[in-house]
């Protein structure tokens, strides 16, 4: 049978004529492929591993119609994200639709209780959704979430106290299921005395929406859900008597007084129930998935025990690799396309975030658990865009505390071998029903040191920063290149492989309290070692002096990255490589690569004297015929206007002191696109509120308007409202915090964008750049 991927040119199915003869036909007229026909998300291979079950789809048929489900299934990262982003074409109204249709008897039961669950947030269309989301956002801001942290810590400790001496436990039953539910009730502001009853009912509600109850079970479930509905109403009434204090529902009641038509009674009642589910099961499953994954990867678990600062990034990587929401749903409001497949109006879509999160088109080594991964927060487990999970930072907070307590108090815990993991069959929520672990209580570290129980560490709230993901390395060689330049060879202390990199990439070297960026200058394909060269900067900030004075063979250091913001475009024919002094480090890696590719290139390398120019011997050996040297003490000066003037079509890559790069920028103003430079320092301006203006940024994807105060960066303002933008140097050097600019005039203050890019103003660095005047609209 030929593969019948419905790749439609201009949305037309190429197999339309054949379709009438096909056994199964999708609503767009395309025949259904055998794999699409047999896809069933209630079967065990999808339950066990949704990403693996859809590998064939990611590779061959990224958008397919599933006749068994009656849904279009979407499996690639870019498509899933694009659907999340466009919530007008792809309405979320079916997000909570019952997967198993309710029997008449169950419906009658619900009616007896006056059950009237309405749309909430997650399944509400615009403009109602955004009005509500904005009105109710405050409880999710980081400052508010901080009030819940001591409660999560206390609960986790208490539950752990109960099992720490047992030696074996089912973590789901004994801890992970209950804590997130209790946290959810606290978050909503439910009075203590009502918690037990609501806890019981909320479980029935979950089965009602997502599960596959039999007809008999449905009536029993409906009874519980009906009672839940009534009880939730009573608790809400009680809260109305005194809506002061923290708690999302209390806040919503207060907001209702100001905005009665936005925060309606029906909405409050529905949200009381839906809120518990949104916060509870998602987090309980995510934690169980995370602990399982980490215990299955013992070396990673041990890294976390040894270095808890890795926990925030590890949590995120677990959400990517084994999240608790595997798929979400949307319905097409008009005839449209996903990728190049025609999707008719009214089509239901199952967008499989678990598959998207394993897409090698977006994530390097997608199936590897790499807790040092620097774009792990791009995962789609929390959705994306205007409906993106409002509670993500509460979930992160809980997961981090769980992991921190377990790694500290039970580092020797292991999975009970050969256990079979089972999952409640459903399309979306995914987590094992049981998670058996064991350990030897005699080895509990707190038996030796009682104070250990109290030694928990807190993490900053919000998305992890790259600072949270540092790799240990050991310096295996220190080579004196010149009197003031040392070259360091770095290896993993346990001999594990290090990541590969591309020319122009750098790492952040962390020694003691200082962090400095250094370009990689060794062999990009060598997985055993990384090489950097460091010049002693006498007038500098002291970092290089400290490294020179203290780093010896066998010194332990930490590093972040590699990352590449100085990428070599390999498509050009000719290259002009210009380096001043220590700026040779990225340039030599580029030269090596260009040589291997057989490209035309020339290296112009300037310095004070031959003796002060690092990597000279290797350059002469490997690139002798392409090398022009300019040692100033020999009277040879780099004539930049002549060299650059004669470049023809060649692309220019330059790295060196600011003087050199400024001169280059002045010479190439008209052809800024062909020039690529790497700066190693920026004037680190601290915001002076007397000189800065406050302004607003409007976020087009999430439909939020965020005020940026005069003493605040755009990045800080975005973080304060829970919007994740990765960042790194926060000095306008590294390009990590770049966002798309849709409208508005930007006052660019970074060193990353070229003159042309600044003029076009289609992107900006949020750590330093601001609005020139008025408002900025950002693609977030
Ligand atoms: C929405 C996942 C925890 C509250 C969502 C969505 C997903 C999701 C996939 C829909 C996103 C979209 O349509 O773009 C998760 C996961 C969690 C988690 C994986 C845990 C690991 C929480 C918690 C809370 C919460 C703890 C509350 C305290 C919400 C709310 C929405 C939502 C209110 C609706 C947002 C809107 O439609 O504007 N969540 N969630 N979630 N989540 Fe979560």
């Amino acid at each position: 049978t030929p593969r019948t991927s419905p790749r439609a040119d201009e949305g037309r199915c190429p197999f339309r004529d054949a379709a009438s003869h096909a056994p199964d036909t999708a609503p767009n007229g395309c025949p259904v492929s055998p794999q699409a026909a047999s896809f069933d998300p209630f079967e065990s291979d999808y339950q066990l591993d949704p990403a693996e079950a859809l590998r064939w789809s990611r590779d061959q048929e990224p958008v397919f119609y599933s006749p068994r489900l009656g849904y279009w299934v979407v499996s690639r990262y870019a498509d899933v994200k694009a659907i999340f982003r466009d919530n007008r074409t792809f309405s979320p109204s079916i997000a909570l639709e019952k997967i198993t249709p309710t029997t008449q008897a169950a419906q009658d039961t619900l009616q007896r209780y006056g059950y009237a669950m309405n749309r909430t947030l997650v399944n509400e269309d615009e403009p109602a959704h955004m009005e509500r989301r904005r009105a109710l956002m405050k409880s999710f801001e980081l400052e508010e979430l901080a009030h819940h942290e001591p409660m999560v810590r206390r609960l986790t400790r208490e539950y752990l106290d109960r099992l720490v001496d047992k030696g074996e436990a089912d973590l789901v039953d004994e801890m992970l299921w209950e804590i997130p539910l209790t946290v959810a009730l606290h978050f909503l502001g439910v009075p203590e005395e009502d918690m037990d009853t609501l806890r019981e009912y909320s479980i029935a509600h979950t089965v009602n929406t997502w599960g596959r109850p039999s007809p008999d079970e449905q009536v029993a479930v409906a009874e519980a859900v009906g009672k839940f509905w009534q009880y939730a109403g009573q608790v809400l009434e009680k809260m109305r008597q005194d809506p002061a204090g923290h708690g999302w529902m209390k806040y919503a009641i207060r907001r209702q007084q100001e905005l009665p038509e936005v925060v309606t009674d029906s909405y409050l009642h529905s949200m009381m129930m839906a809120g518990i589910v949104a916060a509870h099961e998602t987090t309980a499953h995510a934690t169980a998935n995370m602990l399982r994954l980490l215990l299955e990867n013992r070396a990673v678990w041990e890294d976390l025990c040894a270095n808890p600062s890795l926990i925030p990034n590890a949590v995120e990587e677990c959400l990517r690799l084994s999240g608790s929401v595997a798929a979400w749903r949307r319905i097409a409001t008009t005839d449209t396309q996903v990728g190049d497949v025609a999707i008719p109006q009214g089509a239901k879509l199952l967008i499989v975030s678990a598959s998207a999160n394993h897409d090698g088109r977006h994530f390097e080594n997608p199936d590897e658990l790499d807790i040092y991964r620097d774009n792990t927060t791009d995962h789609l487990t929390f959705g994306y865009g205007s409906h993106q999970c409002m509670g993500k930072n509460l979930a992160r907070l809980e997961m981090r505390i769980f992991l921190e307590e377990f790694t500290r108090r039970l580092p020797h815990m292991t999975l009970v071998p050969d256990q079979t993991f089972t999952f409640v069959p459903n399309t979306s929520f995914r987590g094992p029903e049981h998670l058996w672990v064991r350990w030897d209580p005699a080895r509990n570290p707190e038996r030796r040191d009682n104070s250990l129980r109290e030694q928990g560490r807190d993490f900053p709230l919000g998305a992890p920063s790259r600072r949270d993901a540092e790799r240990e390395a050991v310096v295996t060689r220190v080579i004196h290149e010149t009197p003031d330049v040392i070259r360091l060879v770095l290896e993993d202390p346990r001999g594990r492989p290090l990541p590969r990199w591309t020319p122009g990439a750098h790492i952040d070297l962390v020694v003691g309290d200082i962090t400095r960026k250094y370009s990689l200058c060794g062999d990009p394909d060598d997985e055993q070692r990384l090489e950097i060269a460091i010049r002693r900067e006498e007038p500098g900030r002291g970092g290089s002096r400290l490294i020179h004075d203290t780093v010896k063979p066998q010194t332990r250091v930490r590093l972040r990255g590699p990352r590449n913001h100085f990428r070599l475009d390999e498509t050009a024919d000719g290259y002009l490589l210009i380096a001043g002094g220590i700026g040779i480090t990225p340039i030599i890696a580029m030269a090596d690569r260009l040589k291997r590719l057989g490209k035309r290139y020339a290296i112009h390398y300037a310095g004070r004297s031959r003796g002060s120019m690092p990597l000279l011997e290797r350059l002469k050996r490997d690139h002798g015929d392409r090398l022009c040297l300019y040692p100033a003490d020999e009277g040879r000066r780099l004539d930049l206007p002549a060299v650059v003037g004669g470049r023809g079509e060649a692309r220019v890559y330059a790295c060196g002191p600011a003087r050199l790069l400024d001169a280059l920028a002045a010479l190439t103003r008209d052809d800024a696109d062909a020039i690529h430079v790497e700066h190693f320092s920026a004037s680190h301006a601290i915001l002076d509120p007397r000189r800065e203006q406050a302004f607003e940024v409007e976020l087009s994807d999430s439909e939020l308007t965020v005020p940026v105060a005069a003493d605040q960066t755009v990045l800080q303002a975005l973080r304060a409202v829970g919007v994740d933008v990765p960042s790194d140097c926060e000095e306008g050097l590294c390009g990590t915090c770049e966002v798309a600019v849709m409208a508005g005039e930007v006052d660019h203050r970074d060193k990353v964008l070229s003159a042309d890019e600044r003029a076009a103003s289609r992107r900006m660095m949020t750590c330093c750049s601001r609005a020139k005047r008025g408002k900025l609209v950002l693609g977030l």
Side-chain angles (χ1 to χ4, degrees), residues 84 121-122 129 133 278-279 282 324 330 381 383-384 387 389 391 394-395:
F84 269 128
L121 272 174
V122 81
H129 161 259
R133 184 168 162 121
T282 49
S324 52
R330 294 285 194 257
T381 304
Y384 180 78
H387 284 271
C389 179
L394 181 60

Side-chain angles (χ1 to χ4, degrees), residues 656-695:
R659 222 173 345 104
L660 176 85
L661 301 183
D662 289 347
L664 187 66
L667 283 169
T668 55
R669 207 151 270 149
D670 299 338
D671 192 11
D673 261 3
I675 312 297
H676 307 267
V677 297
E678 169 120 293
H679 289 263
F680 273 103
S681 64
S683 40
H684 192 178
I686 291 163
L687 288 175
D688 177 355
R690 286 166 309 179
R691 291 174 37 206
E692 304 292 354
Q693 301 277 342
F695 58 99

Side-chain angles (χ1 to χ4, degrees), residues 341-411:
V341 175
I343 301 288
Q345 181 178 11
K348 293 179 174 185
L349 298 112
L350 185 75
I351 48 178
V352 188
S353 30
S355 169
N357 289 343
H358 282 244
D359 188 347
R361 291 157 200 81
H362 189 82
F363 296 101
E364 296 283 299
N365 309 313
D367 302 320
E368 297 280 312
L369 175 72
D370 179 4
I371 58 170
Y372 305 97
R373 187 183 294 279
D374 63 357
N375 65 346
T376 184
T377 46
D378 287 354
H379 69 74
L380 298 174
T381 304
F382 290 131
Y384 180 78
S386 56
H387 284 271
Q388 197 191 36
C389 179
M390 287 166 87
K392 64 187 173 184
N393 288 323
L394 181 60
R396 284 172 170 148
L397 180 157
E398 291 182 53
M399 293 173 72
R400 290 171 189 178
I401 289 181
F402 287 149
L403 188 51
E404 197 275 335
E405 289 280 336
F406 273 110
T407 49
R408 181 165 42 82
R409 296 183 65 183
L410 293 177

